[in-house]
Amino acid sequence: MKQLNGLNITETRPQRSDQCLQNSELVSALMDGALDGDALARALDVLAEDDSADGTWDTYHLVGQAMRFEGESLQAHDPAFVSRLREKLAKETPELIVASPLPIRAEGQFGLKKSAANDPWWRRVAGLASVAVVGVLAWQGMGWMGASRPAETTLAQQSVASAQMDAPQALVTADGAASVMIRDPQLDALLAAHRQVGGANALQMPTGFLRNATFNEDKR
Amino acid sequence: MPREPDSDALLVQRAAAGDQRAFELLVIKYQRRVERLIGRMVRDVDLVEDIAQETFIRAYRALHQFRGDAQFYTWLYRIAVNTAKKFLLELKRDPTVSDSALASKDDDDETFRPKNEPSTDETPESVLAAKEIGRAVSQALSELPDDLRQAISLREMDGLSYEDIAQLMACPIGTVRSRIFRARDAISAKVRPLLERQTGKRW
């Protein structure tokens, strides 16, 4: 009588080879979802060569059903049914999909829950986000178009008026691009200390046109 | 209800990539359950098997549509119900099928029922066999060493993963896998003769 970790195995399976036992252990791991990737592929290949694998797979599942008392009748599968189906499936050409590196999400798979980037939920979020962005851009574009026309008019009127009074000023007003002042604390301190040189508005943000620059130039 | 431990998602993935063997394992696992489901809608035993075959063929064709949002059996269940309904509709529309053809041989009997009337799949024999198998499993489980009994119970009844069981039992995952296998194999050895008597087949 042989003991294996306290379990008497000679009484229950006296004629089974090591290979058969190994295959049965593969079946057990397979039904628990403990094999994936290459290990799963290898196991399926090995079990395809083992005539007893189908019976082992079926019996192990029936044992699980019986333990869980699912209230169903416990009946082994019909090998003839599978044979007939196999012949029919051989004539089928299933629409193959590329095996994804991500496992298919299922409730029974150890609570594994991974959502792919092309998940419908993400698609909806991306769609809504793009619509929102387009809406904001359109709204801003309309605002700019509406606001820029009066500004251009004013600018033109001022330019014409300035040109009549002082030619050099008109040249400077051509530069109407808004700009952001880059502040240098040391420069600001220096200009504040020498206001008579830099002008009163040296520390202010520049306006759309540099009318003071030409004006101060004349004063020098 | 404990979650049923399975590897359906992995097998579906393999089958959808063209591995017919992976699909056959799913067929073996669910054949009887699908037949019982169809048997509740269709009385004709021959028709039940035809519809079950058609169900699995349709499922095979549509595997790429299975997104894993539900369990595989839930998906298969819908296909089986739809296939059975379609069969019944076609049978009613078929002008070559007369009422007498649909009727059973002993239609003179006052207990006669049309073939397509829903019926229960349970027979006294199947109930008895299930009870017998249940008792054998309980007996085999009680005879297992404690570590094997605990491992298989945590897996099959509580639906825990190998990682969880390894933590609970303070042992490596490889040991968990081995204990569960040995427990299953020992119980199966007691159940197998009963199944052989049921089907007349020796594994």
Side-chain angles (χ1 to χ4, degrees):
Chain A
M1 190 179 292
K2 185 181 172 187
Q3 293 283 322
L4 182 63
N5 287 350
L7 179 67
N8 177 359
I9 61 167
T10 51
E11 284 183 358
T12 54
R13 34 175 205 262
Q15 296 172 341
R16 296 172 70 195
S17 66
D18 286 347
Q19 185 60 50
C20 188
L21 282 175
Q22 281 176 13
N23 289 353
S24 296
E25 186 165 2
L26 274 181
V27 169
S28 176
L30 179 63
M31 69 179 278
D32 288 336
L35 303 177
D36 57 7
D38 290 342
L40 175 63
R42 276 198 303 275
L44 289 173
D45 287 344
V46 168
L47 298 180
E49 303 296 320
D50 185 352
D51 293 338
S52 65
D54 285 0
T56 306
W57 169 262
D58 194 22
T59 310
Y60 285 2
H61 276 106
L62 286 173
V63 166
Q65 279 181 41
M67 285 181 70
R68 289 189 295 274
F69 300 109
E70 289 177 346
E72 295 174 345
S73 63
L74 299 166
Q75 197 176 3
H77 82 284
D78 179 8
F81 179 93
V82 181
S83 297
R84 282 193 291 276
L85 186 66
R86 186 179 295 142
E87 288 171 13
K88 291 178 185 173
L89 290 181
K91 297 170 191 166
E92 292 288 326
T93 49
E95 191 172 329
L96 300 183
I97 60 166
V98 178
S100 165
L102 286 174
I104 292 175
R105 180 157 54 84
E107 290 168 19
Q109 197 180 350
F110 298 162
L112 182 67
K113 193 171 184 178
K114 292 180 181 175
S115 56
N118 61 354
D119 188 274
W121 189 86
W122 283 112
R123 285 186 194 168
R124 284 194 291 273
V125 170
L128 283 173
S130 58
V131 168
V133 167
V134 168
V136 168
L137 288 176
W139 181 261
Q140 286 187 339
M142 286 174 65
W144 278 337
M145 288 175 67
S148 64
R149 281 174 191 151
E152 283 168 5
T153 311
T154 310
L155 195 65
Q157 287 170 348
Q158 286 180 352
S159 300
V160 170
S162 303
Q164 288 170 351
M165 292 166 61
D166 193 356
Q169 273 188 343
L171 287 174
V172 176
T173 55
D175 181 12
S179 61
V180 177
M181 175 178 277
I182 299 171
R183 290 285 188 186
D184 182 345
Q186 286 182 324
L187 179 62
D188 287 352
L190 181 70
L191 290 174
H194 300 85
R195 283 196 165 200
Q196 70 278 15
V197 177
N201 59 350
L203 299 178
Q204 295 174 356
M205 284 292 289
T207 54
F209 46 93
L210 299 175
R211 66 182 164 213
N212 291 328
T214 52
F215 183 71
N216 289 336
E217 187 69 25
D218 289 342
K219 278 194 170 178
R220 280 187 196 174
Chain B
M1 183 179 169
R3 188 181 62 212
E4 184 178 354
D6 60 46
S7 57
D8 289 2
L10 293 168
L11 289 175
V12 168
Q13 200 175 18
R14 293 281 311 173
D19 189 337
Q20 193 177 315
R21 175 68 184 153
F23 187 71
E24 282 179 18
L25 290 178
L26 289 167
V27 173
I28 291 169
K29 181 176 176 181
Y30 289 117
Q31 181 215 334
R32 294 299 187 190
R33 214 186 290 188
V34 166
E35 283 183 344
R36 279 197 296 272
L37 167 67
I38 296 167
R40 287 194 284 269
M41 301 173 70
V42 180
R43 184 167 172 76
D44 188 331
V45 177
D46 296 333
L47 203 56
V48 168
E49 181 172 330
D50 287 347
I51 296 171
Q53 291 263 336
E54 182 64 20
T55 296
F56 284 112
I57 289 171
R58 284 182 176 205
Y60 187 66
R61 286 177 190 151
L63 273 178
H64 64 281
Q65 293 172 6
F66 178 70
R67 297 191 56 79
D69 294 329
Q71 290 207 17
F72 176 70
Y73 181 67
T74 310
W75 184 74
L76 191 62
Y77 177 99
R78 288 194 204 108
I79 295 176
V81 169
N82 289 337
T83 308
K85 282 180 180 172
K86 186 170 172 287
F87 259 74
L88 290 176
L89 270 175
E90 284 175 359
L91 215 59
K92 282 178 184 171
R93 285 176 191 158
D94 190 348
T96 61
V97 179
S98 63
D99 287 346
S100 59
L102 286 171
S104 63
K105 287 173 188 169
D106 54 348
D107 55 357
D108 292 331
D109 191 328
E110 63 180 293
T111 59
F112 158 76
R113 291 194 305 177
K115 270 193 161 185
N116 295 326
E117 189 173 306
S119 66
T120 174
D121 59 299
E122 286 189 344
T123 63
E125 290 80 14
S126 69
V127 172
L128 192 67
K131 281 184 179 172
E132 201 178 3
I133 291 170
R135 274 197 299 270
V137 168
S138 297
Q139 177 71 22
L141 192 64
S142 66
E143 290 170 2
L144 287 177
D146 286 346
D147 53 352
L148 301 197
R149 187 170 58 247
Q150 191 184 1
I152 189 76
S153 299
L154 288 171
R155 180 66 196 141
E156 291 286 17
M157 295 159 87
D158 299 320
L160 297 189
S161 68
Y162 281 10
E163 288 81 1
D164 293 339
I165 298 171
Q167 259 189 335
L168 274 171
M169 298 185 74
C171 64
I173 288 178
T175 306
V176 170
R177 172 174 155 163
S178 172
R179 284 177 182 170
I180 290 173
F181 157 63
R182 280 153 46 214
R184 267 189 190 130
D185 211 48
I187 299 171
S188 295
K190 299 284 173 66
V191 170
R192 222 166 260 134
L194 303 177
L195 294 173
E196 285 166 5
R197 216 188 307 157
Q198 239 185 13
T199 61
K201 183 186 181 302
R202 190 167 281 275
W203 302 124

